[in-house]
């Protein structure tokens, strides 16, 4: 059965002292449990069957021995299951997979009034924590919603919409002799619920096609009519986010704003369908929890592919807000080809705008 598409609301927090210690220990226990389940699942090998239920039965006790909470231990197994599932889809040897340096803990499914991480309408959350000895506590983590999400979060809580909670640690250390933790609390909700309250337009203004070429520093849009005639080109830049050391959260905030600029521009210029490259990596976001930086896929640099596909997914998720449809095309021939070079010369376009134009033509 296909999983329901989810949209994630985020709140940001900064905490210190005893509260920070409890959050950090819980995240480390969750990570240790993930390592244990990952190693045990590698030992089982080909006996594994593609079923979450089977994984729970097989590995829940290994996780529970490390972090003694049913919801957290199931969350461990589901996370590792997602990695295994994605590795199979990509043709990667599961035995070569290693976890990266993330720190988080999560529930395993959506529910009303999250049990282990209960999010409130102001963005704060009541969080179940464990120390390294297994002692349990409940702490209130003060947080605030990310920009533009406060009203939607309020609706989620008021209407008792189910959500799956997750706490992610982005940074931690010692400042003025006190431990501090900075991170985010995520609440993943039904995508349909998100669309119901976020939609700006129900129908497009025209019937044009917008080809979209996504790169690490820009998004190129080429608009064509149904006969393939080029009507307009536009570039949406975010080159500042590529600077070394640029804050990741700020980078994705800027990219998100550029995606909305793209969609708004396309809507007001008569586009009804956006053509995007078909993401080459299945389960791309799940494998963000895996060590990267090497060529895990035969034809693409892993880190660049993850980055581009995440932007493609963002455009796909937000296009219906503007009444736009999305159509995936095969990217073959849209960059290095004789046709590509001929169009660059004929129309005086740069190579990325030309790729966007060819993607639009493929959609036709």
């Amino acid at each position: 059965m296909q999983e329901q598409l989810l949209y994630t609301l985020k709140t940001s927090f900064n905490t210190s002292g005893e509260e920070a210690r409890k959050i950090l220990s819980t995240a480390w226990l969750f990570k240790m449990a993930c390592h244990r389940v990952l190693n045990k699942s590698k030992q089982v090998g080909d006996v594994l069957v593609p079923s979450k239920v089977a994984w729970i039965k097989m590995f829940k006790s290994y996780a529970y021995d490390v972090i003694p909470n049913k919801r957290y231990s199931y969350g461990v197994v589901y996370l590792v299951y997602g990695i295994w599932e994605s590795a199979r889809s990509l043709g990667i040897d599961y035995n070569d997979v290693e976890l990266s340096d993330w720190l988080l803990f999560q529930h395993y499914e959506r529910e009303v009034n999250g049990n282990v991480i209960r999010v409130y309408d102001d963005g704060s959350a009541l969080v179940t924590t464990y120390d390294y000895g297994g002692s349990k506590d409940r702490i209130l983590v003060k947080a605030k919603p990310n920009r533009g999400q406060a009203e939607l979060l309020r609706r989620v809580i008021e209407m008792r919409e189910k959500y799956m909670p997750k706490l992610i640690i982005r940074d931690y250390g010692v400042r003025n002799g006190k431990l501090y933790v900075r991170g985010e609390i995520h609440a993943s909700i039904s995508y349909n619920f998100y669309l119901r309250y976020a939609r700006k337009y129900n129908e497009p203004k025209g019937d044009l096609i917008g080809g979209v070429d996504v790169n690490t520093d820009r998004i190129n849009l080429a608009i064509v009519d149904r006969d393939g005639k080029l009507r307009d080109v536009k570039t949406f830049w975010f080159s500042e986010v590529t600077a070394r050391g640029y804050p990741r959260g700020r980078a994705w905030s800027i990219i998100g704003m550029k995606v909305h600029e793209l969609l708004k521009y396309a809507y007001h210029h008569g586009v009804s369908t956006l053509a995007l490259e078909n993401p080459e990596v299945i389960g791309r976001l799940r494998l963000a929890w895996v060590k990267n930086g090497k060529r895990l896929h035969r034809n693409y640099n892993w880190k660049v592919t993850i980055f581009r596909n995440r932007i493609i997914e963002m455009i796909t998720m937000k296009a219906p807000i503007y009444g736009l449809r999305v159509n995936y095309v095969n990217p073959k021939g849209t960059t290095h080809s004789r046709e590509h070079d001929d169009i660059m010369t004929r129309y005086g376009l740069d190579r990325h705008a030309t790729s966007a134009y060819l993607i639009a033509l493929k959609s036709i």
Side-chain angles (χ1 to χ4, degrees), residues 3-283:
E3 292 186 6
Q4 184 177 7
L5 196 59
L6 302 178
Y7 175 81
T8 300
L9 292 163
K10 301 177 182 179
T11 71
S12 302
F13 71 87
N14 285 281
T15 188
S16 61
E18 186 66 11
E19 187 176 280
R21 184 187 68 79
K22 292 176 179 178
I23 290 173
L24 194 59
S25 62
T26 308
W28 274 111
L29 288 171
F30 191 94
K31 180 70 172 282
M32 290 162 61
C34 284
H35 275 287
R36 192 174 191 204
V37 171
L38 179 68
N39 291 333
K40 290 294 181 181
S41 62
K42 287 180 179 180
Q43 292 172 18
V44 173
D46 294 336
V47 178
L48 289 176
V49 293
S51 161
K52 285 186 178 180
V53 174
W55 271 68
I56 285 292
K57 290 180 179 178
M58 220 179 277
F59 301 116
K60 63 181 179 181
S61 61
Y62 296 110
Y64 193 88
D65 287 345
V66 179
I67 187 163
N69 181 285
K70 176 183 174 180
R71 286 172 169 81
Y72 285 151
S73 59
Y74 280 25
V76 167
V77 178
Y78 275 25
L79 190 150
V80 180
Y81 171 82
I83 293 171
W84 172 75
E85 190 180 45
S86 296
R88 289 176 69 243
S89 299
L90 287 166
I92 296 171
D93 187 342
Y94 184 59
N95 290 316
D96 292 337
V97 170
E98 298 178 41
L99 299 181
S100 59
D101 57 357
W102 52 261
L103 279 173
L104 64 87
F105 48 95
Q106 68 177 26
H107 194 283
Y108 67 100
E109 66 179 0
R110 293 189 302 126
E111 64 178 12
V112 176
N113 291 335
N115 186 287
V116 288
I117 304 174
R118 177 173 294 181
V119 181
Y120 296 113
D121 58 4
D122 66 350
S124 300
L126 188 62
V127 179
T128 300
T129 62
Y130 289 86
D131 64 23
Y132 295 112
S135 296
K136 177 181 175 181
D137 199 1
R138 293 276 277 175
I139 61 175
L140 181 64
V141 179
K142 294 289 187 180
K144 60 180 182 178
N146 284 10
R147 182 177 178 182
Q149 295 190 332
E151 178 60 24
L152 183 57
L153 177 62
R154 185 185 65 78
R155 289 181 182 272
V156 168
I157 304 304
E158 285 184 355
M159 302 183 70
R160 297 179 61 81
E161 170 70 6
K162 290 182 178 181
Y163 61 88
M164 187 179 79
K166 177 188 298 181
L167 188 148
I168 299 177
I169 294 176
R170 296 300 187 192
D171 186 30
Y172 69 93
V174 176
R175 185 185 298 125
N176 298 325
K178 291 183 68 175
L179 176 69
Y180 74 88
V181 168
R182 180 180 63 80
E184 295 175 346
I185 298 167
H186 292 186
S188 296
I189 61 173
S190 159
Y191 180 63
N192 290 334
F193 184 91
Y194 164 68
L195 279 185
R196 192 186 313 161
Y197 295 103
R199 193 185 299 274
K200 298 178 184 295
Y201 307 105
N202 290 320
E203 297 291 338
K205 293 179 69 173
D207 193 35
L208 302 179
I209 295 173
V212 179
D213 181 60
V214 176
N215 291 279
T216 55
D217 61 349
R218 79 192 82 176
I219 304 172
N220 287 85
L221 172 68
I223 300 175
V224 304
D225 60 24
R226 293 288 168 172
D227 295 322
K229 182 179 179 181
L230 183 63
R231 294 289 194 89
D232 191 17
V233 291
K234 179 76 172 178
T235 302
F236 303 86
W237 291 92
F238 42 84
S239 52
E240 67 270 31
V241 309
T242 61
R244 184 180 296 274
Y246 198 88
R248 182 169 57 178
R250 176 62 179 157
W252 282 110
S253 177
I254 290 173
I255 292 169
M257 288 189 288
K258 293 299 179 181
V259 166
H260 276 288
E261 284 184 27
L262 161 76
L263 296 172
K264 188 182 298 184
Y265 187 92
Y267 171 81
H268 287 292
H269 285 76
V271 171
S272 64
T273 302
L274 288 177
L276 295 161
E277 290 179 299
N278 193 19
E280 300 88 353
V281 179
I282 301 170

